[in-house]
Amino acid sequence: MAAHIGRRLRKGAATTAVAAAAVAALSASQAPGATVDDQGRQNTGDATSAPDTAADDSATGNSPYYTDLPPLNSPAPSPSAGSGEAGDRSAAEAGIPATVLDAYKKAEAALREKKAGCNLPWQLLAAIGKVESGQARGGRVTADGTTVTPILGPQLDGNGFALIRDTDNGAYDDNRMYDQAVGPMQFIPSTWSWAGRDGNGDGRKDPNNIYDAALAAGHYLCRFDWDLSKPGDLRKAILSYNNSTEYLNTVLSWLEYYRKGTHEIPDGTGALPEDRSDARPGATPSAPGTTPPAQPGKPSGSRPSPSPSAPGTGSPSAPPTTPPPPTTPPLSTPPTPTDTVHHLEDAGTGILTAMAGHTFAERISTRAETEAGKAVAKVRIRFTIVGDTDTTFAGGESVATVTTDASGVAVAPALQAGERTGAFAVQAAVAGRSVKGVPYKVTVTQRVADALTRVGEKELTCVAGGEFAEPVEVKATHGGEAAGKVAVTAKLVTSADDPAENDKGPYFKDAEGKTIRTLTGLRTGPDGQLTLPKLYADDTAGTFLLRLTTAGGATLEVELTVEPAATPSPDPDPSADPDPSTDPSTEPSETPAT
């Protein structure tokens, strides 16, 4: 036991030292003004203290993790790597299984497209994957990225771990009493329910699939508009995944290690980590997915007794000579604020309506109450957007979790309307509890304009049978601001009093060159401006009207003048206006000679 404790103490010191070096390297390369204190923590201008994150408000529920540190040798394989057991071990520790590595890189590419400002490196996913599951248990995955056997963390029953009661009815972890972290990236079911993604395109969101889990982890780390190229935001993102300083330091160590280079190894050949954060002197820690704890109410029996470690996988522990006394859990645990919530009530939310592309002026407010109607503070309320819509919360997410204040009220982040119009809902629920929630109806209306003006003052004229040299340009506004992406209809009408389409005068041409006098489907640009297609004129001269209307009722009439074509001069009539010099009647008569 003394040797084991000594190894843990040495490892703790090494973790701090390596993490300090890693953070120093990250600070030097990413934030010139950053410094590192003697505990390996970053001090930057935009860094904040560790978030007050509740267990069921993090990706993993603050579940146990692997604390193994990177090898001291270079991550790139050397010519001598693989020669001998030590070399094989080092190469396996440094490498990343092929399918797992592919999943990390695909997730980085997807986030680069969806959330370029996050600057998510695949090496961060690799570092978290190493710490959470040893790269999916050394890459033991099928061809589509699904783990050969499910990876489960210990049940979060409050006995040495966080207390998170069942939120998925055992759908992901097969445990109907408590939650367990699931899959290679160790998501708890309540987080996976909104953070899960389909990373391999099979139409499913499976926490035990490395492609799905890696993409979900990327979106989770980028959900608050954090820029992970900044040490302060990077630190906050990692702590939001698992709120532990040692976890932060370990992940940063692997991140810096993988940034120096790595190599691909065959699936299933990765080295399995040995040390876990939940290890206790005299006990053998259980690896996720290998010895899942017994679950209350199931006929699986009691928790397995610790067994000696396999050769080469850690320090063996001798089996006890006498059975350990049974552990008697407390008859009851003090209720948490979440346990006391009986229902949710609306806290005065107004009408939730906004124009497409705009931010909702009203924010959703929900109050947590006991059965007696008293306010409950420090309860996490999860707001989920439900329905066919592209409206999101800040950061482009469809879910936001907010903790109630002293008055029991949680105010959701502002909604940002997308381009899809219509009604949908936002569901407010208590994170980690199945109690009566509150649905909110939300409506997105089409973009409108309340004014339409012509750009330019030059008269629009054309000769009959010709084409107008100047295009018609207009600008739409709403409340004095440019109204972008507003629908506009342009129609050549008979007169100001007759909105019927004219059958003569100016006209447009369609894609096939045919005459048309009504254009629909036009939209203003981001600056609210619109330039109409070229106008032509038939042989009818006169003054004509082009009427433009927008969604919202703004109208503008533009005069178009078609001048008669120039009349060609007629050929001169030889019989008209004879030239006196050639008129025979004017010629002098000849006098006959006598």
Side-chain angles (χ1 to χ4, degrees), residues 22 25 57 59 67 69 97 116 203 253 268 277 288 388 423 524 533 564 590:
D57 214 21
T67 57
L69 291 175
S253 300
S277 60
D388 184 16
T524 60
E590 296 183 4

Side-chain angles (χ1 to χ4, degrees), residues 58-99:
S58 68
T60 66
N62 298 333
S63 294
Y65 53 90
Y66 288 110
T67 57
D68 297 59
L69 291 175
L72 296 177
N73 61 299
S74 169
S78 63
S80 60
S83 58
E85 183 178 346
D88 292 340
R89 175 76 180 179
S90 178
E93 285 182 337
I96 300 177
T99 299

Side-chain angles (χ1 to χ4, degrees), residues 324-339:
T327 301
T328 303
L331 296 178
S332 62
T333 56
T336 65
T338 301
D339 293 331

Side-chain angles (χ1 to χ4, degrees), residues 259-359:
R259 273 183 164 153
K260 292 178 181 176
T262 187
H263 61 283
E264 179 183 297
I265 59 176
D267 289 345
T269 64
L272 299 181
E274 299 175 353
D275 296 324
R276 288 181 59 78
S277 60
D278 59 338
R280 297 290 182 269
T284 303
S286 60
T290 57
T291 54
Q295 298 164 13
K298 287 182 170 284
S300 56
S302 60
R303 187 187 301 267
S305 299
S307 59
S309 300
T313 60
S315 302
S317 57
T321 56
T322 57
T327 301
T328 303
L331 296 178
S332 62
T333 56
T336 65
T338 301
D339 293 331
T340 66
V341 177
H342 177 265
H343 61 274
L344 298 180
E345 293 285 348
D346 175 48
T349 306
I351 298 176
L352 295 165
T353 301
M355 191 189 309
H358 288 64
T359 300

Side-chain angles (χ1 to χ4, degrees), residues 353-360 390-391 416-422 443-448 484-486 523:
T353 301
M355 191 189 309
H358 288 64
T359 300
F360 282 74
D390 54 354
T391 295
Q416 177 65 43
E419 294 302 322
R420 197 171 302 164
T421 60
T443 304
V444 176
T445 61
Q446 66 177 334
R447 292 176 180 262
V448 298
K485 299 182 181 181
V486 173
R523 286 193 179 275

